Amino acid sequence: MRIPVSLIAVSSVLMACTSDVATDYNQAANYSLFKTYQFAPFKSDNVTTLDGGRVQDAIASELYQKGLTKVPSGADLTVRHAIIEQSDYKSYGTSFGFGYGYQNWGLAYSAPTDFKEYRYGKLVVELIDNANKQIVWRAISNKKLTESMSPTARRQFIDGQVHEMFKDYPPGQVSTNNNNSGY
């Protein structure tokens, strides 16, 4: 079976139009005033996870490239991040059904399909203006961090998603290829 080249080209264009991340931001904020950042503290009973450390490393790298400096306290911005656990259900197995209908009366039967829970994480990063305690910028990954990824794949995934998140930061100094969306 041959797939026409035009179908492959159209599919590639459509896939390129979808954004890996969605961002939202305060249009009134003066992003040029933000020069320093600090990470939001973890709760005393909460230990930084392996992925949490990977996320912080990736964010620190991106903010460094944007000219922001990490400070221990008194920063212009607080960076808060999380991996929000979500799940989907996928059906598998054979489904069988039959039915009979006549005018307004019918009878149908369908064998049940098995379902499997598929767990994943969605990365969220928020920048909080410490002067007024308001979120001024937020990004969320549209791709899924799965449990089955290797440590190397997790690092690459997180680095790639954080890079995409900060690609057009600060807002207002970006290319026209910005796929911002509201929530």
Side-chain angles (χ1 to χ4, degrees), residues 62-179:
E62 291 297 322
L63 291 178
Y64 174 79
Q65 291 177 26
K66 300 293 183 178
L68 279 81
T69 304
K70 182 180 176 185
V71 295
S73 63
D76 301 323
L77 293 171
T78 294
V79 179
R80 183 169 58 189
H81 62 85
I83 297 175
I84 300 171
E85 291 187 26
Q86 297 183 328
S87 62
D88 287 334
Y89 292 93
K90 291 187 178 184
S91 62
Y92 64 96
T94 304
S95 179
F96 173 72
F98 65 89
Y100 174 76
Y102 179 72
Q103 291 182 350
N104 290 332
W105 182 86
L107 173 67
Y109 171 78
S110 178
T113 303
D114 293 325
F115 291 92
K116 179 179 180 184
E117 183 178 20
Y118 174 71
R119 296 178 61 209
Y120 60 91
K122 297 205 82 163
L123 178 59
V124 177
V125 178
E126 297 175 327
L127 301 181
I128 302 164
D129 181 351
N130 286 332
N132 61 16
K133 304 294 184 212
Q134 297 291 315
I135 295 172
V136 293
W137 183 90
R138 183 177 198 255
I140 186 167
S141 172
N142 289 325
K143 288 193 168 186
K144 299 173 180 178
L145 178 64
T146 63
E147 296 173 334
S148 61
M149 290 178 165
S150 70
T152 301
R154 293 177 89 79
R155 166 70 71 184
Q156 290 172 346
F157 175 86
I158 289 169
D159 288 349
Q161 289 300 287
V162 171
H163 177 74
E164 284 297 312
M165 289 174 167
F166 284 95
K167 182 172 65 174
D168 293 335
Y169 181 86
Q173 302 174 4
V174 297
S175 69
T176 57
N177 189 17
N178 192 354
N179 291 327

Side-chain angles (χ1 to χ4, degrees), residues 17-104:
C17 291
T18 61
S19 177
D20 288 346
V21 300
T23 58
D24 191 12
Y25 59 91
N26 181 342
Q27 294 175 320
N30 185 352
Y31 293 88
S32 65
L33 298 177
F34 303 134
K35 304 292 184 198
T36 59
Y37 73 94
Q38 63 194 35
F39 284 102
F42 287 100
K43 297 176 184 174
S44 60
D45 61 340
N46 198 0
V47 176
T48 303
T49 64
L50 292 170
D51 284 334
R54 292 176 182 124
V55 171
Q56 280 193 1
D57 291 346
I59 292 170
S61 175
E62 291 297 322
L63 291 178
Y64 174 79
Q65 291 177 26
K66 300 293 183 178
L68 279 81
T69 304
K70 182 180 176 185
V71 295
S73 63
D76 301 323
L77 293 171
T78 294
V79 179
R80 183 169 58 189
H81 62 85
I83 297 175
I84 300 171
E85 291 187 26
Q86 297 183 328
S87 62
D88 287 334
Y89 292 93
K90 291 187 178 184
S91 62
Y92 64 96
T94 304
S95 179
F96 173 72
F98 65 89
Y100 174 76
Y102 179 72
Q103 291 182 350
N104 290 332

